[in-house]
Amino acid sequence: DIIVMRHFLEGAARYASRSRPGAIVNAGDGANQHPSQTMLDLYSIYKTQGTLENLNIYLVGDLKYGRTVHSLLMAMRHFNPHLFISSLPEELKNAGRSTRFTAANTTIRFVEHTDFTEEIIADADILYMTRVQRERFTDLMEYERVKNIYILRNKMLEHTRPNLRILHPLPRVNEIALDVDDNPKAYYFQQAQNGLYAREAILCDVLGITLDDVK
């Protein structure tokens, strides 16, 4: 009844949807999009902030190959966010593909930083960390050079907003230190749990199953 498709090629799910009848759910297509992750991200943001509107969203890490960020930006443009980007060196910049395209074609406020410090994240409502994805690099030396360029440590959170929540699509590598896990602002494990509920909802919606049907 449903094909849930995760594929390494960009556009694979769209191609499949045109090639067969029935439902195709995109569970991630290469470095392109990850729409089901965005549904659980939106739910997580709303659950922790009480709104999706007018938030300071900080995106950190691999914004060029990070498909979760690409999808999240497409959704957040409807809620007037203030975006703050930390994505250097040049290899990890978005190269105009998603972040700058979204900002240029909407009214999204957009600031790009060349560093990742305690002062920069002080006003964040949501800090969305991403890993540098080894599988996207053809040159392993290049990957080794950039993989640890941004690391969030617990001490950096001392002067952040009380409502700040840290999200991460997981798995992590080194970009969030282990000492952050016990901080009440760390929300990535609950975020992963929310993925169960969000994806159940997606499957039910595709199948035409309502809440009344499952009570």
Side-chain angles (χ1 to χ4, degrees), residues 1 9 16 25 32 35 62 82 96 98-100 113 124 126 128 152-153 161-162 199 202 204 214:
D1 297 305
L9 290 179
V25 175
N32 184 34
D62 185 352
H82 193 170
S98 179
T99 309
R100 292 178 182 79
H113 290 288
I126 294 293
Y128 197 98
L152 177 65
R153 304 187 188 280
R161 291 182 172 183
R199 286 164 176 138
I202 291 170
C204 286
V214 298

Side-chain angles (χ1 to χ4, degrees), residues 80-116:
N80 193 36
H82 193 170
L83 295 179
F84 296 83
I85 311 298
S86 291
S87 183
L88 291 174
E90 189 65 32
E91 290 87 347
L92 298 183
K93 280 191 174 182
N94 210 320
R97 177 179 174 183
S98 179
T99 309
R100 292 178 182 79
F101 175 84
T102 300
N105 289 275
T106 67
T107 57
I108 289 179
R109 295 162 291 171
F110 175 86
V111 177
E112 188 168 19
H113 290 288
T114 59
D115 205 353
F116 180 53

Side-chain angles (χ1 to χ4, degrees), residues 17-215:
S17 71
R18 294 172 176 171
S19 303
R20 67 173 299 277
I24 303 288
V25 175
N26 184 1
D29 60 329
N32 184 34
Q33 300 287 338
H34 199 343
S36 70
Q37 177 73 41
T38 291
M39 296 306 295
L40 75 93
D41 288 345
L42 292 177
Y43 175 64
S44 298
I45 293 170
Y46 184 82
K47 189 172 183 179
T48 61
Q49 305 299 317
T51 183
L52 293 172
E53 299 281 352
N54 303 308
L55 296 173
N56 291 339
I57 309 291
Y58 284 62
L59 306 172
V60 181
D62 185 352
L63 309 186
K64 181 178 181 181
Y65 298 117
R67 60 191 176 196
T68 65
V69 172
H70 300 163
S71 290
L72 179 61
L73 284 170
M74 291 183 67
M76 287 306 300
R77 64 183 176 177
H78 299 289
F79 302 105
N80 193 36
H82 193 170
L83 295 179
F84 296 83
I85 311 298
S86 291
S87 183
L88 291 174
E90 189 65 32
E91 290 87 347
L92 298 183
K93 280 191 174 182
N94 210 320
R97 177 179 174 183
S98 179
T99 309
R100 292 178 182 79
F101 175 84
T102 300
N105 289 275
T106 67
T107 57
I108 289 179
R109 295 162 291 171
F110 175 86
V111 177
E112 188 168 19
H113 290 288
T114 59
D115 205 353
F116 180 53
T117 65
E118 179 180 353
E119 292 74 22
I120 285 176
I121 65 174
D123 292 327
D125 298 309
I126 294 293
L127 179 57
Y128 197 98
M129 302 292 298
T130 64
R131 67 185 172 94
V132 177
Q133 301 178 71
R134 181 180 184 276
E135 61 269 27
R136 308 295 180 206
F137 284 79
T138 56
D139 185 344
L140 291 183
M141 292 296 292
E142 180 181 313
Y143 166 75
E144 290 294 328
R145 185 169 65 84
V146 302
K147 67 177 182 179
N148 293 325
I149 194 165
Y150 294 129
I151 299 177
L152 177 65
R153 304 187 188 280
N154 197 45
K155 184 174 176 54
M156 296 172 64
L157 301 172
E158 290 180 356
H159 302 293
T160 53
R161 291 182 172 183
N163 64 300
L164 170 67
R165 292 299 179 268
I166 304 157
L167 303 185
H168 192 303
L170 300 180
R172 69 172 161 189
V173 184
N174 299 317
E175 61 280 357
I176 300 179
L178 294 178
D179 63 0
V180 176
D181 291 355
D182 294 327
N183 192 304
K185 296 176 181 179
Y187 194 76
Y188 32 87
F189 296 131
Q190 295 95 323
Q191 176 190 5
Q193 179 70 25
N194 291 341
L196 172 64
Y197 314 134
R199 286 164 176 138
E200 284 179 333
I202 291 170
L203 294 178
C204 286
D205 184 63
V206 171
L207 292 171
I209 298 172
T210 68
L211 284 176
D212 290 335
D213 295 328
V214 298
K215 285 181 180 178

